Amino acid sequence: MPISKKQSWHIEPPWGLLNDPNGLVWYKGNYYAFFQWNRFAKDHSSKAWGFATSPDLVHWQFRGSALLPDQLYDAQGVYSGSALEIDGRLCLYYTGNAKQQGRRISHQCLAISTDGRHFRKEGPLFAAPAGYTGHFRDPKVLAVLQGGYQMVVGAQRDNGLGAVVLYTSPDGFRWSYGGVVGTSREYQMIECPELFRLEDAPVLLYCPQHRDNAADTSLDSFSVGRVLDQGPDASRPLDLDTGWQRLDEGFDFYAPQTFRTPDGRRILFAWMSRLEGEAETAFGAGEPRIHCLTMPRELFRRGQRLCQRPVRELRELPGTPVPGETTESGRLYRPFRRAFRFTATELAAERNLDLTLHEGEWSFHYDAAAHTVTVERRCWTGPGQDTRTVPLSALSSLELWCDQSSAELFLNGGEQVFSARIWPASSQASLLIAGLPPESPVQLTLLPDDLYRYLPKEEETQ
Ligand code: FRU
């Protein structure tokens, strides 16, 4: 009997396929996490916006769909976008994707809600300007300190190469083209760009993508961020091929989006499952759904480096501690559920450290002499392991957050992050840690089992 991959505390739909987080916002007392949702199948054939809400970033309630592809201008997909509250109204900006005689036509569109439950489409705001192809999408809107609004859009220029484009607006409704923020010579498309200020510096996030332009298919893509010296300047477009850091070194992290909480923190969610082809089909087989969002993380910076740590609300969540036992191979924990958090602090920089999760479904190795960390997970499309190795000058702390079929690892307070879906092979959860200095504080805590609900409580019990 295969073991279910259903997550217990991550946002995922009850059925179908989830991809990018969209429209993250705090509105009238609730957090909103919209997301790309195919509610018909576990593939990318149809795209709507689904959503979940939360009063506290910890307890989430799935709410169904918000925007469906039911207009001529979005008939082939209500694609990714963002949200902003303007004068008490929740404004959702998204890309309407349409195809005419095989040609892709995109519009940046607006929908409005005044109650967070009903969404009224206002129609297209503008089409792709001259000089760009139909790959023109993912509007991310930002309120500017001096007044007015900015929007960045991911684009492909007529020469078949990627760019990020800026629009400006006095009121969030009337938009004017503001020039090019940056261009690429290496990538055929830039998806999901985002611009914001973080601790007083401008930051740009984006996803460079290689495409086969003749076949109009994606080849590979990943997610990066960079701290800029100054805000966007159309007279000096950025070179998007250099100067970035990867936001996550695990296997499954794409299309991140952030928003600002009322208390001023910048929170990030990403799509945790950028699986392709065979890996995606295999992972979803026998399940009603595929893919989830990452856990919410606070984005902050240490100088020019973008760092992420689990949101305070999750870190402060009380949980049941699970004692470990000392074995010949190291300290062993056997929690009775796979939803837990593990922390180890005051680690020794000069000592190797190993973590083995669920008897090898996922593992981590810190090599103190080589100054590297390696994360591995058992491959599910063939024999062997998927492996990533990155440099790390010294290891001082780690935090591992697990759910039924995922592991999110934060090193040195968030300096390096690894997110991965894992394939549950055993119903016995376990974590083995080897190389731990005897005096290092460690703790494994079970997470509560009522954090994510598909239906309101009353409906679930009827
Ligand atoms: C990124 C992306 C976006 C697009 C959406 C469609 O994963 O390709 O560029 O808006 O997914 O689902």
Side-chain angles (χ1 to χ4, degrees):
M1 177 74 176
I3 296 158
S4 166
K5 301 187 186 77
K6 182 176 182 297
Q7 298 278 59
S8 73
W9 58 278
H10 284 81
I11 295 174
E12 60 180 10
W15 57 81
L17 175 144
L18 168 152
N19 56 300
D20 315 353
N22 294 156
L24 304 175
V25 69
W26 164 261
Y27 180 66
K28 292 192 175 168
N30 273 300
Y31 292 100
Y32 284 73
F34 296 87
F35 49 80
Q36 288 283 282
W37 184 27
N38 180 356
R39 62 209 198 286
F40 301 120
K42 291 174 289 177
D43 61 27
H44 295 266
S45 54
S46 167
K47 293 298 167 88
W49 277 30
F51 73 121
T53 60
S54 166
D56 56 9
L57 283 175
V58 173
H59 299 86
W60 289 91
Q61 166 77 63
F62 173 76
R63 301 260 172 215
S65 48
L67 299 173
L68 300 177
D70 53 9
Q71 302 294 316
L72 277 179
Y73 56 83
D74 60 20
Q76 273 71 43
V78 175
Y79 274 12
S80 285
S82 55
L84 209 60
E85 179 177 345
I86 300 181
D87 298 332
R89 291 183 287 183
L90 178 59
C91 296
L92 304 182
Y93 299 88
Y94 70 94
T95 302
N97 184 49
K99 275 195 178 152
Q100 279 174 13
Q101 283 119 30
R103 203 166 73 88
R104 194 186 284 269
I105 300 173
S106 56
H107 287 95
Q108 309 318 309
C109 307
L110 175 66
I112 292 182
S113 176
T114 50
D115 61 3
R117 293 287 175 274
H118 304 91
F119 304 90
R120 197 184 66 242
K121 287 187 182 174
E122 299 286 320
L125 295 167
F126 55 86
Y132 295 90
T133 73
H135 286 291
F136 198 81
R137 57 177 171 266
D138 310 337
K140 179 70 171 90
V141 175
L142 171 81
V144 182
L145 278 182
Q146 310 83 288
Y149 302 89
Q150 285 182 342
M151 177 194 286
V152 279
V153 182
Q156 183 185 65
R157 290 179 295 159
D158 268 352
N159 64 3
L161 294 172
V164 174
V165 174
L166 183 72
Y167 278 76
T168 58
S169 170
D171 53 12
F173 300 97
R174 291 167 292 147
W175 291 91
S176 334
Y177 180 70
V180 177
V181 173
T183 58
S184 170
R185 274 165 288 119
E186 163 72 26
Y187 298 96
Q188 286 72 38
M189 174 63 186
I190 303 292
E191 295 191 319
C192 304
E194 172 163 10
L195 191 65
F196 52 87
R197 290 192 80 76
L198 189 63
E199 295 147 45
D200 269 341
V203 168
L204 183 68
L205 310 184
Y206 55 99
C207 299
Q209 182 182 53
H210 280 128
R211 294 188 73 82
D212 177 337
N213 283 337
D216 196 22
T217 50
S218 160
L219 299 172
D220 59 69
S221 50
F222 55 100
S223 158
V224 302
R226 60 203 267 184
V227 179
L228 306 176
D229 297 333
Q230 56 173 65
D233 176 358
S235 67
R236 287 197 304 143
L238 294 165
D239 172 0
L240 297 177
D241 301 336
T242 57
W244 43 255
Q245 70 175 83
R246 280 185 190 256
L247 288 175
D248 191 289
E249 297 286 355
F251 306 94
D252 300 308
F253 179 99
Y254 194 66
Q257 187 176 108
T258 78
F259 72 105
R260 206 167 165 271
T261 56
D263 64 4
R265 288 172 295 157
R266 176 91 13 212
I267 307 296
L268 176 147
F269 282 87
W271 170 24
M272 184 161 63
S273 316
R274 186 114 176 78
L275 306 174
E276 307 275 355
E278 202 193 338
E280 186 168 77
T281 310
F283 199 77
E287 303 277 332
R289 71 189 73 77
I290 186 157
H291 305 319
C292 64
L293 298 184
T294 61
M295 67 190 295
R297 301 138 182 217
E298 289 168 18
L299 192 69
F300 62 102
R301 64 188 182 86
R302 288 191 186 136
Q304 295 297 101
R305 181 140 191 102
L306 295 169
C307 305
Q308 299 165 55
R309 62 182 161 232
V311 286
R312 187 183 63 223
E313 289 83 344
L314 279 166
R315 275 186 278 132
E316 288 174 354
L317 201 61
T320 318
V322 175
E325 50 187 287
T326 305
T327 70
E328 267 179 18
S329 339
R331 196 155 181 73
L332 177 66
Y333 293 85
R334 290 182 172 278
F336 70 87
R337 288 196 300 118
R338 294 168 64 103
F340 59 81
R341 139 192 206 198
F342 175 76
T343 54
T345 51
E346 297 174 35
L347 297 173
E350 65 288 352
R351 213 173 153 140
N352 289 354
L353 191 91
D354 283 280
L355 283 183
T356 308
L357 189 59
H358 312 315
E359 291 168 359
E361 287 173 21
W362 178 98
S363 66
F364 162 83
H365 174 65
Y366 166 61
D367 186 324
H371 301 288
T372 57
V373 291
T374 299
V375 169
E376 293 192 320
R377 86 169 154 201
R378 198 176 289 150
C379 181
W380 56 79
T381 50
Q385 307 279 336
D386 299 324
T387 302
R388 288 276 171 85
T389 299
V390 295
L392 190 82
S393 53
L395 180 66
S396 57
S397 71
L398 65 84
E399 243 181 274
L400 177 67
W401 289 73
C402 295
D403 202 342
Q404 179 70 10
S405 56
S406 66
E408 290 161 275
L409 176 69
F410 301 82
L411 302 182
N412 295 349
E415 187 185 310
Q416 199 67 268
V417 190
F418 300 81
S419 307
R421 296 307 297 271
I422 52 178
W423 183 291
S426 151
S427 52
Q428 171 68 68
S430 70
L431 180 72
L432 178 69
I433 178 160
L436 190 69
E439 63 285 358
S440 297
V442 283
Q443 189 167 51
L444 190 146
T445 327
L446 286 180
L447 292 169
D449 61 5
D450 61 347
L451 302 184
Y452 186 68
R453 313 191 79 90
Y454 286 137
L455 293 169
K457 221 174 181 168
E458 324 72 83
E459 292 174 34
E460 241 173 38
T461 51
Q462 266 170 20

